[in-house]
Amino acid sequence: MKALTFHGDRTVRYESIADPTLQDPADALVKVKLCAICGSDLHVYHGREQGCDHATAMGHEFVGKVVEVGKDVDRLKVGDLVMSPFSTSCGQCEYCLSGLTSRCIHSQLFGWRQHGKGLHGGQAEYVRVPQAEHTLLPIPSTISLEQALLLGDVIPTGYFCAHQADINPGKVYVVVGCGAVGLMTILGAFEQGATTVYAIDTLPERLIFAEAFGAIPIDASVRDPLQVVKAIHSQGADAVMEAVGNNESLQLAYNLVRPGGIISMVGVNTASTLPFSPADAYDKNLTLKVGRCPARFFMQKLLPMVASGKYDYTSIISHRMELRDGVTGYAMFSEKKDKCVKVLLHCS
Ligand SMILES: [Zn+2]
Ligand SMILES: [Zn+2]
């Protein structure tokens, strides 16, 4: 089959690799119809996250059709259209049962293989899905394939980022970073009752989305976000949702948050230490909530909201390309060229 494979720093290839096969009775094979490039794929692409085996099929955002199931798979049938979160989960361990599916004891991340172990990703014609009955969710006719694709990561991750920020009407919230996850965080915050959300970025095209979604945009290349927020809310924000995943943004979040406030982080931050000290955290009575979104849990929970059509999630998709053009898609997304926010790849 064809796939977009990892080959070291800034090198993704569109090439043939072995077709996946069922390896366990709980596996399913999915023929990918649509996949996407995620901001966290860029950590691998740029070598910020190291150790991924070369020739691994990249990507963890995909939807497709079931083409084969293991003998233990009863609830999915060949021909079912399915969506998937970015990691697998069993549905039976204490983490899965408590809703923290991202910490399932059997969890594996799509598109990450190290020393020959792990899973190929969804930027490929086919993908093997372990623990398929729980990992996959059939796509109902009430949502589109593109909505289903965004439900695999960015919609739940944004909602979760806002969820961690303990949203209440009348309080002041800031979202740092208006990439796909930051934009979904804005919508998640409003859905959870926020009334005042500031959104910080340096790219005008992303701030236009933030404003369209109801946030107050702050272009950090023009104005100092700290001055803008503190001029109106002298104590700072009640919570800051950091949706970039680096220490520069995290330091800004720390500077923006009021004493007793919350910083919520959902991006993969590859720095080795936090930008602020334990004493800094103490001096603000800071609550730091950080971690991988339990996408499988929120995917199911948020399905009715997505189906309701209340929010125009798919408007953030800036580019629709063929899988074979994915190498160009990576370069464009990585360099934020052509107002790129989210790249979708079709597998025809
Ligand atoms: Zn993703
Ligand atoms: Zn589990």
Side-chain angles (χ1 to χ4, degrees):
M1 68 166 182
K2 291 291 189 185
L4 290 173
T5 55
F6 174 70
H7 284 278
D9 191 13
R10 281 165 225 238
T11 309
V12 169
R13 289 184 197 150
Y14 178 70
E15 65 175 353
S16 294
I17 57 170
D19 288 349
T21 53
L22 297 179
Q23 291 179 19
D24 183 275
D27 285 356
L29 290 184
V30 172
K31 179 168 183 7
V32 176
K33 291 176 85 74
L34 265 185
C35 56
I37 306 175
C38 180
S40 50
D41 294 332
L42 295 183
H43 286 314
V44 181
Y45 182 72
H46 285 287
R48 290 189 292 265
E49 233 173 324
Q50 294 204 331
C52 185
D53 289 352
H54 286 207
T56 297
M58 300 276 290
H60 54 255
E61 300 181 8
F62 65 94
V63 294
K65 192 181 270 192
V66 175
V67 290
E68 197 178 345
V69 294
K71 66 177 174 50
D72 290 353
V73 178
D74 295 322
R75 291 202 298 270
L76 292 170
K77 305 247 168 329
V78 169
D80 284 353
L81 280 175
V82 287
M83 50 188 171
S84 177
F86 49 76
S87 60
T88 68
S89 54
C90 74
Q92 287 161 10
C93 72
E94 67 175 297
Y95 294 107
C96 283
L97 293 173
S98 69
L100 194 59
T101 50
S102 48
R103 294 297 155 206
C104 170
I105 58 171
H106 301 293
S107 177
Q108 295 187 80
L109 185 65
F110 289 101
W112 185 265
R113 288 166 69 248
Q114 201 162 7
H115 307 306
K117 291 206 174 92
L119 278 183
H120 283 288
Q123 289 162 7
E125 290 180 294
Y126 295 90
V127 60
R128 179 177 73 87
V129 180
Q131 289 157 325
E133 279 198 348
H134 187 262
T135 299
L136 298 171
L137 202 60
I139 301 174
S141 58
T142 49
I143 65 168
S144 68
L145 283 188
E146 289 189 348
Q147 288 174 318
L149 183 69
L150 299 184
L151 256 174
D153 186 351
V154 295
I155 294 175
T157 299
Y159 190 92
F160 176 64
C161 189
H163 180 74
Q164 290 192 137
D166 193 17
I167 303 288
N168 282 290
K171 302 254 177 166
V172 177
Y173 298 97
V174 179
V175 174
V176 180
C178 297
V181 169
L183 293 170
M184 296 297 108
T185 302
I186 292 167
L187 293 181
F190 284 119
E191 177 64 18
Q192 290 167 68
T195 46
T196 305
V197 179
Y198 292 86
I200 300 170
D201 205 289
T202 55
L203 296 173
E205 65 268 22
R206 296 187 178 196
L207 290 165
I208 287 169
F209 277 114
E211 190 168 19
F213 288 166
I216 303 158
I218 303 173
D219 185 340
S221 66
V222 177
R223 296 187 293 166
D224 176 2
L226 194 60
Q227 274 187 5
V228 174
V229 172
K230 289 224 169 167
I232 305 164
H233 313 282
S234 58
Q235 293 297 310
D238 293 288
V240 182
M241 294 160 262
E242 196 274 312
V244 179
N246 67 33
N247 269 357
E248 192 186 343
S249 299
L250 189 54
Q251 181 65 54
L252 176 60
Y254 175 84
N255 296 343
L256 283 163
V257 77
R258 69 162 167 80
I262 298 169
I263 295 176
S264 169
M265 295 164 62
V266 288
V268 180
N269 185 332
T270 54
S272 54
T273 57
L274 294 171
F276 46 82
S277 69
D280 292 335
Y282 178 91
D283 287 344
K284 270 205 171 171
N285 286 54
L286 179 69
T287 299
L288 182 63
K289 295 191 185 175
V290 50
R292 179 181 286 171
C293 168
R296 177 60 178 81
F297 173 78
F298 279 105
M299 181 173 162
Q300 190 156 11
K301 180 180 156 77
L302 300 179
L303 222 170
M305 182 181 76
V306 174
S308 76
K310 189 172 171 186
Y311 303 105
D312 190 7
Y313 294 109
T314 56
S315 62
I316 68 159
I317 300 166
S318 55
H319 292 78
R320 294 170 175 85
M321 309 168 86
E322 293 294 320
L323 181 69
R324 75 174 82 89
D325 299 320
V327 174
T328 307
Y330 264 90
M332 189 183 284
F333 183 46
S334 162
E335 289 155 32
K336 301 185 175 85
K337 277 191 178 159
D338 194 28
K339 301 183 177 178
C340 188
V341 177
K342 189 73 181 167
V343 180
L344 252 61
L345 303 168
H346 284 260
C347 302
S348 45

